[in-house]
Amino acid sequence: MKHFLKLQDLTQKEILELLNMADQLKFERKNKMPHPLLAGKTLGMIFQKSSTRTRVSFEVGMHELGGKALFLSSNDLQIGRGEPIEDTARVLSRYLDGIMIRTYAQAEVEALAEYGSIPIINGLTDYCHPCQVLADLMTIREYKHSFAGRKLCYIGDGNNMTNSLIVGGIKMGMEVSVACPEGYTPDAEICKWAAENGKFTCTPDVLEAAKDADVLYTDVWASMGQESEAAQRRKVFEGIYQINDNVMAVAKPDAMVMHCLPAHREEEITAKVFEEHADEIFEEAENRLHAQKAILVKLMQD
Ligand code: CP
Ligand code: NVA
């Protein structure tokens, strides 16, 4: 594993190795055992979009591993004034030991990896959010103890989260069902791959998708960069694409609820269901730290 660009690039074995390392790092942190596995290393973090979890968990993660993280806002970098990503990659490769980037186009992340000579980590693009889903898989395993035979249901916009959840869920042997409105379905190539490689359904029918689910997952109706579509999207999603008591009633009685956050209460999830499952949702947020530390160690340790 040279980079962490999208989950399609990883085998099930590589994902399991990362999850095992993440569990170990979580244990060491909880027991206050120092783990300076990246002493002297520097991670650059390029952000073209806002972030709370990704920024803080990567920065704290590098600190706990004995290294350092640099926050690089694209407004301040020359990228913001048009310096090509190919040149930025070659320059930053001479100062840093790794780069985490959050941006719009997946092609930019792939270009950084192609032109740079250091590991690149995708911290979210319009196409996928692999760091989040690695933490999600870690959380599902913590609560459900296994992947095989489990049903993961995603309700809402077929976005970057959906794309990564489908790939991650199918790779780990889960059944994946997605409920999205027409015109807002996940990436067609990913859906085709999922149907050929596992048990996968995509339907506009929320209750059909949620039936007997072990895990219910949702995300915002309008992602970062789609602010101008928010009103139109609300008309399509409102009152239908939401995790609420009716949806919980058809899932397994012990179903867990997940959300990558930030959440919009009474839109994609009711405040009631959110609070009833807050323990799972915030454990999921914490696991970003542990899962990303595993990625950093795997990619940047000598
Ligand atoms: N879930 C997630 O990536 O959160 P941030 O946008 O706050 O980083
Ligand atoms: N789909 C959301 C995820 C945020 C973590 C977005 O891209 O804004």
Side-chain angles (χ1 to χ4, degrees):
M1 207 175 99
K2 268 175 70 185
H3 304 286
F4 190 77
L5 308 179
K6 55 187 185 302
L7 291 177
Q8 288 92 320
D9 301 338
L10 279 78
T11 62
Q12 186 193 67
K13 185 166 170 275
E14 285 173 322
I15 295 174
L16 277 173
E17 279 168 12
L18 285 171
L19 295 179
N20 293 343
M21 193 189 295
D23 285 349
Q24 173 66 23
L25 290 165
K26 185 170 185 174
F27 173 85
E28 289 179 14
R29 183 176 193 263
K30 203 171 156 200
N31 290 286
K32 301 202 177 341
M33 297 156 69
H35 42 274
L37 302 168
L38 296 181
K41 304 273 183 187
T42 308
L43 176 78
M45 308 189 299
I46 303 175
F47 281 94
Q48 310 232 32
K49 293 175 176 172
S50 306
S51 170
T52 297
R53 281 143 289 270
T54 306
R55 177 182 174 177
V56 178
S57 54
F58 267 107
E59 193 159 335
V60 170
M62 277 307 289
H63 173 70
E64 291 180 0
L65 290 165
K68 187 177 169 58
L70 294 181
F71 174 71
L72 305 167
S73 161
S74 58
N75 295 331
D76 305 329
L77 291 174
Q78 296 285 9
I79 290 186
R81 294 179 55 248
E83 183 168 16
I85 197 92
E86 296 84 342
D87 295 358
T88 306
R90 284 176 283 190
V91 171
L92 293 183
S93 291
R94 295 184 179 238
Y95 305 136
L96 301 168
D97 301 291
I99 296 174
M100 191 287 305
I101 178 167
R102 166 169 287 196
T103 188
Y104 295 88
Q106 179 73 15
E108 263 183 55
V109 180
E110 308 270 347
L112 258 190
E114 187 183 337
Y115 286 90
S117 53
I118 54 175
I120 306 298
I121 299 169
N122 181 347
L124 180 146
T125 60
D126 292 346
Y127 177 67
C128 64
H129 197 1
C131 288
Q132 177 68 52
V133 170
L134 192 71
D136 296 340
L137 293 171
M138 178 181 178
T139 315
I140 292 170
R141 194 167 73 160
E142 252 176 58
Y143 279 83
K144 298 290 170 194
H145 312 294
S146 64
F147 295 116
R150 299 288 181 189
K151 179 174 173 181
L152 165 65
C153 168
Y154 174 91
I155 295 169
D157 181 31
N159 60 17
N160 44 10
M161 276 311 311
T162 329
N163 289 337
S164 287
L165 281 168
I166 295 170
V167 177
I170 294 288
K171 283 218 177 208
M172 301 322 287
M174 282 190 278
E175 175 181 348
V176 179
S177 63
V178 171
C180 299
E182 258 174 56
Y184 296 88
T185 49
D187 181 80
E189 282 286 310
I190 289 180
C191 291
K192 184 169 173 282
W193 172 87
E196 287 166 2
N197 287 277
K199 210 166 168 194
F200 173 73
T201 52
C202 183
T203 166
D205 188 329
V206 171
L207 295 182
E208 182 190 317
K211 194 172 175 338
D212 297 325
D214 296 282
V215 184
L216 290 164
Y217 202 116
T218 190
D219 183 18
V220 292
W221 294 337
S223 286
M224 290 183 277
Q226 297 173 334
E227 288 77 9
S228 65
E229 297 173 27
Q232 171 57 27
R233 284 170 169 268
R234 177 186 294 275
K235 279 190 213 152
V236 175
F237 288 83
E238 195 156 46
I240 307 170
Y241 293 91
Q242 181 187 66
I243 301 187
N244 52 34
D245 283 342
N246 297 335
V247 171
M248 295 307 297
V250 300
K252 291 241 180 84
D254 64 347
M256 67 187 289
V257 174
M258 302 182 77
H259 196 306
C260 56
L261 304 174
H264 294 177
R265 287 167 178 77
E266 305 309 331
E267 292 188 13
E268 74 274 5
I269 188 165
T270 58
K272 178 173 178 287
V273 172
F274 185 93
E275 290 306 331
E276 283 169 356
H277 292 270
D279 285 351
E280 293 141 22
I281 292 168
F282 291 105
E283 197 70 33
E284 174 188 6
E286 179 188 317
N287 284 342
R288 293 291 305 277
L289 172 66
H290 313 300
Q292 286 158 198
K293 281 166 78 177
I295 298 168
L296 291 165
V297 170
K298 197 83 181 163
L299 293 178
M300 287 164 62
Q301 197 179 27
D302 287 328

